């Protein structure tokens, strides 16, 4: 389908008049054929696997949708007219299939609204119903769907406030929902475009260090503060299934709303003042209180001040109660963690955190449960005597799991896992859970054993597994392991009682489909039968390419051959990658790619270019390793170039490419990689850098996995910044950036200023700013134009490099 060229992109620089007005373009037909496809629906099943919901949506938004009014406040992007996230993904069709009957037909849900925009799905406690919201032009409505009948009906008008999530929550009896609704006394918003300032905006600091990442969409002035407060305000009401609305709590800035497992209590947090211009709303002051199911205050259990000045380091946390949650195996017991090291990751401590539990009425002495050597993550609950706690420590990439007895804290916890979480080969998998009588997720146990599902990566390939873990003896027994060598069988769930696995099977040309695998006889019962929507590349030849870096580090990438592959020819090549930091070589050496995965050309993929006569090395390994006291970024550039050279050498050894016609591409940190490679190597004819950051002095308090600030490691910041080395640019570089990028550190200014520097120094560079787009691109017009830009750039500067009569890019 052709896109009407009604909008204009402007390729520009702040300091010169070299602009090019160009409407949205569409790429070559072979690429378009892979874009204009209808994807199979997403699947959503109840816990007992009695029903399967099939949810369909448009693969892309339109530029018109992205152009609707949007307020960017405190880390949020809000549609002030509808009171929901302005970039929310909506579903537009729901079908239901019974899994209890063989060959049951799929039913389209009756009663859905016209032109539905559906989200916020929530199962009822007994999973017989599903609540969801529908966004209209006027606001957000509440709907409820009967699963067995495949019927939906509207419960409330468009008065829901979904700006701070947790918009709808079921009462335990399943007859009503607790809903955030717009309060009657909400004041009109200030139009910041026409408002007259009453004075300057002033920020102060009392001498404390407040080293924060470069967050975007922050509050900037008093008008923003006012608008944020009005958009955050909601009242809590009880809405019965017949549409009756009754008061529950008056207007406040309600954030989290969570019922206790038995439904008798509700934990509610509110956003408090003062607001901040330095951090997003999730670090504003907050208050957490417990209410009865009738809306009566029981106790306030936590009050958190503004968090602007945490100690330095990724593992530093605030003091006081945090990670508040309900204990899943009990009716209404609260659990939370507190730092034992003052929240300062730089202080040596035998134990970092301690976990406590607190019983109703939540005002007594909390009971300590377990101390963790690293930062607490979460607990898998099971019985009075059995639970498994998990922690992690970023600096060493270590994670531990502890088996402990919640009823007897005098029993020392047993460490059952102690490993690097980057070591995928030793990953024991995640514990299987099931619903208990409260509808909460707890460990699925049988005869004193728990079960784990693992991805099964190894030096021989990927073979997902199910293990039985004896909690008493700590002995592990392999129950099942996939043995496919030409497909991927992902194990997504295990029913302990029925001894059945829910699996998803795919191959390079077979779209992922679900089946039940009965472990009694290994038989498979298909559930879905989705066809491959990407017929144009279903026969593309690909393989897992393994090779080594000069220092012996083992690398890999997925190699795709052009559709017109002829072994007597040499082709241009595109290398696409994303650097990843490691603290040990053994983890960096591991391969976690599987060539048997379905070939899926998502919007940002380089795979499209197999249709245009290119070899593509996708997801090439680009490890950046820093062992012991050395940080990965201390040798970032040299490792980057070594990774790239090894990749090109490995493909060149197969005799299929012309190494003078190799391009490199990447998104975000991958774009940062591209700019560095083009400045510090002569390996590439051209590069594509999307939504990157190029001047690290603009992110002075850390970036990616770098904890040190600029003043602690100025050499690292300057050495790694392509902006500082713009005079060394050796190849043609295409810069693409969403002008509404909200990702930390990748301000659109990064590309604009880098382009100015490169242009001023005479580099061959092109800047494309995509209107209304964020860090990832959503509008179909934007994506098609991006693909056109990339295709034109590669044709000129890679495939036909040096060809006579090579013109500037034109539609």
């Amino acid at each position: 389908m052709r896109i009407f060229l009604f909008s204009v992109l402007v390729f520009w620089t702040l300091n010169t008049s070299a602009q090019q007005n160009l409407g949205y373009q569409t790429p070559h037909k072979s690429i378009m054929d892979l874009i204009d496809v209808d994807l199979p629906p997403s699947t959503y099943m109840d816990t007992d696997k009695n029903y399967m919901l099939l949810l369909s949506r448009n693969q892309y938004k339109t530029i018109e949708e992205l152009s609707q009014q949007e307020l960017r406040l405190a880390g949020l992007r809000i549609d002030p007219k509808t009171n929901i996230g302005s970039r929310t993904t909506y579903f537009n069709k729901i079908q239901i299939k019974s899994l209890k009957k063989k060959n049951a037909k799929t039913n389209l849900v009756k009663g859905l609204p016209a032109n539905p925009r559906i989200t916020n799905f929530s199962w009822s406690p007994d999973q017989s119903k599903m609540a969801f919201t529908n966004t209209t032009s006027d606001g957000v409505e509440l709907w409820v769907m009967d699963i067995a009948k495949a019927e939906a009906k509207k419960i409330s008008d468009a008065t829901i406030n979904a700006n701070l999530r947790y918009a709808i929550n079921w009462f335990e009896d399943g007859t009503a929902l607790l809903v955030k609704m717009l309060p009657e006394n909400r004041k009109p918003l200030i139009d910041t475009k026409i408002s007259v300032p009453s004075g300057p905006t002033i920020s102060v600091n009392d001498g404390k260090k407040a080293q924060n990442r470069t967050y975007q969409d922050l509050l900037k002035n008093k008008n923003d503060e006012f608008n944020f407060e009005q958009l955050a305000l909601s009242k809590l009401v009880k809405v019965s299934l017949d549409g009756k609305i009754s008061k529950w709590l008056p207007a406040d800035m309600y954030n989290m709303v969570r019922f206790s497992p038995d439904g008798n209590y509700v934990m509610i947090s509110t956003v408090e003042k003062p607001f901040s211009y330095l951090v997003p709303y999730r670090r504003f002051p907050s208050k957490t209180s417990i209410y009865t199911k009738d809306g009566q205050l029981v106790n306030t259990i936590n009050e958190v001040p503004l968090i602007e000045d945490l100690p330095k380091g990724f593992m530093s946390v605030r003091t006081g109660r945090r990670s508040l949650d309900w204990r899943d195996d009990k009716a209404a017991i609260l659990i939370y963690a507190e730092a034992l090291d003052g929240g300062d990751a730089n202080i040596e401590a035998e134990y970092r955190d301690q976990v406590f539990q607190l019983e109703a009425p939540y005002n007594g002495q909390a009971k300590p449960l377990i101390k963790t050597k690293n930062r607490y993550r979460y607990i898998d609950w099971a019985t009075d005597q059995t639970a498994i706690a998990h922690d992690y420590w970023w600096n060493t990439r270590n994670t531990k799991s502890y088996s402990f007895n919640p009823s007897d804290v005098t029993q020392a916890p047993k460490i059952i896992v102690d490993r690097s979480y980057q070591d995928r080969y030793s990953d024991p998998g995640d514990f299987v859970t099931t619903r208990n009588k409260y509808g909460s997720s707890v460990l699925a146990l049988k005869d004193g054993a728990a079960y784990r599902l693992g991805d099964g990566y190894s030096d021989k390939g990927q073979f997902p597994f199910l293990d039985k873990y004896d909690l008493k003896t700590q002995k592990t027994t392999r129950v099942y392991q996939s043995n496919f060598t030409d497909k991927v069988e992902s194990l997504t769930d295990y029913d302990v009682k029925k001894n059945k696995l829910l699996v998803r099977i795919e191959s390079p040309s077979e779209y992922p489909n679900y089946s039940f695998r009965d472990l009694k006889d290994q038989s498979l019962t298909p559930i879905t039968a989705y066809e491959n929507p990407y017929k144009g590349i279903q026969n593309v030849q690909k393989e897992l390419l393994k090779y080594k870096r000069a220092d012996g580090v083992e690398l890999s990438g997925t190699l795709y051959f052009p559709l017109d592959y002829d072994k007597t020819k040499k082709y241009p090549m595109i290398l696409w990658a994303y650097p990843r930091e490691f603290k040990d070589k053994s983890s960096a050496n591991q391969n976690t790619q599987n060539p048997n995965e379905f070939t899926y050309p998502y919007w940002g993929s380089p795979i499209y270019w197999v249709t245009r006569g290119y070899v593509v090395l996708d997801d090439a390994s680009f490890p950046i390793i820093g062992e012991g006291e050395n940080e990965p970024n201390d040798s970032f550039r040299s490792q980057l170039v070594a990774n790239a050279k090894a990749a090109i050498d490995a493909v060149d050894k197969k005799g299929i490419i012309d190494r003078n016609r190799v391009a490199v591409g990447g998104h975000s940190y991958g774009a940062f990689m591209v700019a560095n490679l083009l400045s510090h190597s002569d390996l590439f004819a051209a590069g594509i850098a999307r939504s990157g950051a190029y001047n690290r002095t603009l992110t002075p308090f850390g970036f990616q996995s770098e904890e040190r600030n600029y003043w602690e490691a100025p050499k690292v910041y300057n050495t790694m910044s392509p902006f500082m080395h713009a005079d060394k640019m050796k190849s043609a570089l295409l810069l693409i950036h969403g002008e509404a990028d909200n990702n930390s550190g990748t301000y659109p200014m990064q590309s604009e200023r880098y382009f100015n520097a490169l242009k001023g120094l005479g580099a061959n560079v092109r800047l494309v700013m995509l209107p209304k787009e964020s860090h990832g691109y959503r509008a179909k017009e934007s994506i098609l134009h991006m693909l056109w830009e990339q295709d034109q750039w590669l044709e000129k500067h890679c495939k036909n490099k040096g060809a006579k009569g090579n013109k500037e890019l034109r539609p």
Side-chain angles (χ1 to χ4, degrees):
M1 181 181 71
R2 297 291 295 180
I3 302 297
F4 289 102
L5 308 182
F6 59 89
S7 296
V8 174
L9 289 172
V10 178
F11 306 94
W12 59 287
T13 145
L14 298 177
N15 300 320
T16 77
S17 60
Q19 299 176 343
Q20 187 180 91
N21 293 332
L22 185 67
Y24 285 111
Q25 300 297 305
T26 56
H28 189 272
K29 182 180 183 302
S30 64
I31 296 176
M32 279 295 298
D33 289 344
L34 298 175
I35 292 290
D36 279 334
V37 299
D38 292 325
L39 291 183
S42 302
T43 57
Y44 202 12
M45 301 182 196
D46 65 304
T47 302
D48 293 332
K49 309 297 184 294
N50 290 323
Y51 293 95
M52 178 173 63
L53 277 63
L54 307 176
L55 310 178
S56 301
R57 64 179 177 86
N58 293 327
Q59 193 173 172
Y60 313 100
K61 288 184 177 290
T62 66
I63 197 64
E64 183 179 4
E65 289 177 291
L66 291 190
S67 299
Q68 300 299 313
Q69 185 183 8
E70 177 181 73
L71 293 183
R72 304 171 188 174
L73 301 169
L76 294 171
R77 294 192 167 184
I78 295 171
D79 181 337
K81 184 177 181 181
T82 58
N83 291 290
I84 194 171
S86 54
R87 302 192 177 231
T88 300
T89 295
Y90 294 111
F91 294 91
N92 55 23
K93 181 180 177 182
I94 307 177
Q95 301 173 83
I96 296 178
K97 179 180 179 180
S98 173
L99 301 178
K100 296 183 292 185
K101 301 176 182 178
K102 191 174 182 179
N103 298 322
K105 67 176 183 177
T106 300
N107 296 309
L108 181 66
V109 172
K110 298 185 290 290
L112 289 175
N115 304 312
R117 293 197 294 166
I118 298 170
T119 188
N120 292 315
F121 294 93
S122 178
W123 286 106
S124 65
D126 65 359
Q127 296 194 328
S128 67
K129 297 178 179 63
M130 175 75 78
F132 56 86
T133 63
N134 177 57
T135 303
T136 70
S137 59
D138 297 321
V140 180
E141 306 167 334
L142 173 63
W143 286 67
V144 172
M145 174 173 57
D146 186 297
I147 302 299
K149 295 179 180 178
E151 294 179 352
K153 66 176 181 177
K154 187 173 78 169
I155 303 298
S156 82
D157 292 330
T159 54
I160 292 178
N161 186 351
N163 290 329
L164 294 186
R165 302 183 302 153
Y166 302 97
I168 58 176
N169 291 269
W170 284 93
F171 282 86
E172 183 61 25
D173 61 7
T175 63
L177 293 102
L178 187 59
V179 181
K180 291 183 183 179
M181 284 197 173
L182 302 174
E184 292 80 2
N185 61 346
R186 193 167 88 165
K187 300 174 182 176
L189 301 179
I190 295 173
D191 187 341
T192 55
K193 294 180 181 179
I194 62 173
S195 63
V196 178
S198 59
T201 298
I202 300 172
S203 300
V204 298
N205 189 52
D206 60 3
K208 290 183 179 180
K209 292 183 178 181
Q211 301 187 11
N212 295 298
R213 290 293 180 107
T214 49
Y215 298 111
Q216 303 205 44
D217 297 342
L218 300 179
L219 301 181
K220 298 179 179 65
N221 50 49
K222 291 295 182 181
N223 288 342
D224 280 354
E225 290 190 56
F226 176 85
N227 285 344
F228 172 79
E229 181 176 4
Q230 299 310 307
L231 289 167
L233 283 172
S234 59
K235 62 181 179 181
L236 287 174
V237 300
K238 183 176 182 179
V239 183
S240 63
L241 296 185
D242 61 5
K244 181 181 178 182
I245 296 176
S246 54
K247 295 180 180 179
W248 206 81
L249 281 182
D252 207 335
M253 290 184 285
Y254 296 112
N255 188 12
M256 179 189 68
V257 178
R258 289 201 62 188
F259 277 89
S260 61
D262 68 356
N264 287 324
Y265 297 93
V266 192
M267 178 166 47
I268 298 174
S269 67
T270 54
V271 178
E272 304 291 323
K273 295 181 178 180
F275 300 151
S276 171
Y277 297 173
L278 291 179
V279 294
Y281 84 97
R282 64 180 179 272
R283 290 176 63 173
F284 289 1
S286 65
K287 180 171 67 174
T288 303
S289 302
I290 304 297
Y291 293 82
T292 67
K293 65 181 179 181
D294 298 320
Q296 302 300 310
L297 177 65
V298 177
N299 199 13
T300 295
I301 58 170
N302 208 27
E303 294 186 81
V304 180
L306 177 65
I307 309 169
E308 286 186 340
D309 54 357
L310 289 175
K312 186 171 72 73
F314 292 160
M315 299 310 299
S316 291
V317 296
R318 63 174 176 80
T319 56
R321 295 174 175 176
R322 66 177 212 282
S323 301
L324 276 77
D325 205 351
W326 295 107
R327 183 170 160 177
D328 291 321
D329 65 326
K330 293 295 181 181
I333 294 180
L334 280 173
I335 59 165
Y336 62 86
E338 286 193 8
L340 298 176
D341 57 5
D344 191 342
N346 304 290
I347 294 176
E348 294 294 328
E350 182 181 4
Y351 294 97
R352 294 288 178 179
D353 283 344
Q354 187 164 21
V355 182
F356 297 85
Q357 72 175 28
L358 184 63
E359 300 185 29
Y362 313 109
N363 59 0
Q365 186 70 30
K367 175 185 176 183
L369 287 177
I370 186 173
K371 294 179 180 180
T372 59
K373 293 184 176 293
N374 299 320
R375 283 281 176 251
Y376 166 74
R377 288 184 65 202
Y378 66 96
I379 292 176
D380 285 313
W381 299 97
T383 66
D384 287 346
Q385 291 77 36
T386 305
I388 297 175
H390 307 271
D391 69 16
Y392 78 110
W393 194 252
W394 180 87
N395 305 72
T396 59
R397 313 303 198 266
N398 180 255
T399 183
K400 293 180 173 64
S401 297
Y402 312 76
S403 176
F404 71 102
N405 184 344
S407 298
D408 185 359
V409 295
T410 64
Q411 291 185 26
K414 298 178 182 178
I415 296 178
I416 62 174
V417 173
D418 187 353
R419 54 182 288 272
S420 167
Y421 58 74
Q422 289 189 320
D423 181 1
R424 300 297 300 278
Y425 290 1
S426 69
D427 189 346
D430 296 322
F431 283 102
V432 177
T433 61
T434 188
R435 286 177 82 237
N436 63 6
K437 62 181 180 181
Y438 302 118
S440 300
S441 293
V442 295
L443 287 181
L445 303 179
K446 184 177 181 181
D447 300 328
Y451 293 84
R452 286 180 173 135
L453 293 171
D455 291 328
Y457 290 110
S458 71
D459 57 358
K460 295 180 176 60
Q462 183 186 5
F463 304 97
F465 61 83
L466 169 69
D467 279 352
K468 178 180 179 181
Y469 178 76
D470 191 301
L471 291 164
K472 185 175 182 180
T473 66
Q474 298 183 40
K475 180 182 178 182
T476 297
T477 305
R478 180 71 31 106
V479 177
Y480 174 79
Q481 184 158 19
S482 178
N483 58 9
F484 282 116
T485 57
D486 59 344
K487 298 182 180 182
V488 182
E489 180 184 16
S490 301
L491 314 184
T492 64
D493 199 8
Y494 174 57
D495 189 320
V496 174
K497 294 180 179 179
K498 298 179 182 178
N499 198 23
K500 288 184 178 181
L501 284 164
L502 175 64
V503 302
R504 191 183 69 174
I505 299 176
E506 61 190 284
S507 77
S509 61
E510 295 174 357
Y511 195 86
N513 277 290
Y514 288 93
S515 296
F516 288 127
R517 182 179 288 280
D518 193 328
L519 294 185
K520 295 176 182 177
D521 56 9
Q522 305 296 311
S523 61
L524 282 171
T525 303
I527 305 172
T528 61
Y530 302 135
E531 293 186 0
N532 184 354
Y534 303 108
K535 301 293 186 182
I537 57 171
Q538 66 178 354
N539 296 319
V540 65
Q541 180 182 342
K542 70 173 180 176
E543 66 180 57
L544 177 64
L545 183 67
K546 294 184 178 181
Y547 50 99
K548 288 187 178 182
R549 206 164 72 178
D551 60 359
V553 175
E554 295 181 4
L555 308 174
S556 63
T558 303
L559 183 66
Y560 296 84
F561 292 74
L563 290 184
D564 63 351
Y565 176 62
D566 180 341
K567 63 181 180 181
T568 66
K569 296 180 180 179
K570 291 194 174 183
Y571 294 85
M573 169 180 155
I574 305 169
L575 185 157
W576 205 271
Y578 189 95
R580 301 186 187 279
E581 298 87 348
F582 292 86
K583 285 301 290 179
D584 64 275
K585 285 185 178 180
S586 61
S587 295
N589 279 334
Q590 295 179 358
N591 168 49
T592 56
Q593 298 183 58
N594 193 328
N596 297 318
E597 291 179 348
F598 178 69
T599 303
Y600 181 83
Y602 71 97
W603 67 266
S605 171
I607 298 171
Y608 298 103
W609 278 271
V610 299
T611 71
R612 300 284 282 141
Y614 291 81
V615 170
V616 176
L617 183 63
D618 191 22
D619 200 17
S621 299
F622 264 68
I624 309 295
I625 306 166
E627 295 188 300
E629 296 299 317
N630 296 321
E631 291 297 324
N633 287 341
D634 293 342
S635 55
F636 178 86
R637 268 175 29 191
S638 60
Q639 293 194 62
L640 208 64
V641 174
N643 290 328
K645 185 177 185 304
I648 295 172
D649 287 346
V651 183
D652 188 34
K653 187 180 293 186
K654 298 179 76 68
I656 60 175
I657 63 167
D658 174 358
R659 65 182 302 145
N660 293 315
R661 295 186 295 155
V662 177
V664 61
H667 190 93
S668 192
Y669 207 54
F672 177 68
M673 170 202 74
V674 169
N676 268 298
L677 286 172
L678 297 192
S679 296
H680 303 295
S681 77
D682 56 2
L683 296 168
F684 299 100
I688 299 169
R690 296 194 313 242
S691 299
Y694 308 103
N695 183 349
R696 285 305 170 193
T697 68
L698 298 177
T699 55
F701 292 110
F703 58 90
Q704 202 70 5
S705 294
E706 179 57 65
E707 280 192 304
R708 297 166 293 185
N709 65 43
Y710 172 77
W711 296 272
E712 292 171 321
K715 183 178 179 181
V716 170
Y717 277 67
N718 285 291
T719 299
M720 291 180 66
S721 295
F723 182 88
M724 306 304 181
H725 306 277
D727 59 326
K728 301 182 180 69
M729 176 57 64
K730 297 177 173 64
S731 306
L733 176 61
L734 173 62
L735 294 168
I736 303 176
H737 214 122
E739 68 173 20
D741 194 331
N742 67 340
N743 183 57
S744 177
T746 55
Y747 291 107
M749 173 180 65
Q750 288 272 5
S751 287
E752 294 165 357
R753 292 188 175 179
Y754 188 39
F755 172 78
N756 285 340
L758 291 169
K759 185 175 180 64
L761 293 166
N764 193 341
V765 61
R766 180 180 177 93
L767 172 63
V768 181
M769 301 297 293
L770 298 173
K772 309 298 181 180
E773 293 293 350
S774 187
H775 193 60
Y777 314 147
R778 302 289 299 278
K780 187 172 185 178
E781 294 90 337
S782 301
I783 293 168
L784 293 179
H785 188 91
M786 175 202 75
L787 294 171
W788 177 83
E789 289 281 356
Q790 293 180 174
D791 189 50
Q792 296 288 308
W793 196 256
L794 291 169
E795 289 292 292
K796 176 180 179 181
H797 296 289
C798 184
K799 181 188 286 186
N800 300 303
K801 180 184 178 182
K804 291 183 179 181
N806 222 333
K807 304 291 186 181
E808 285 295 318
L809 299 188
R810 298 293 180 192

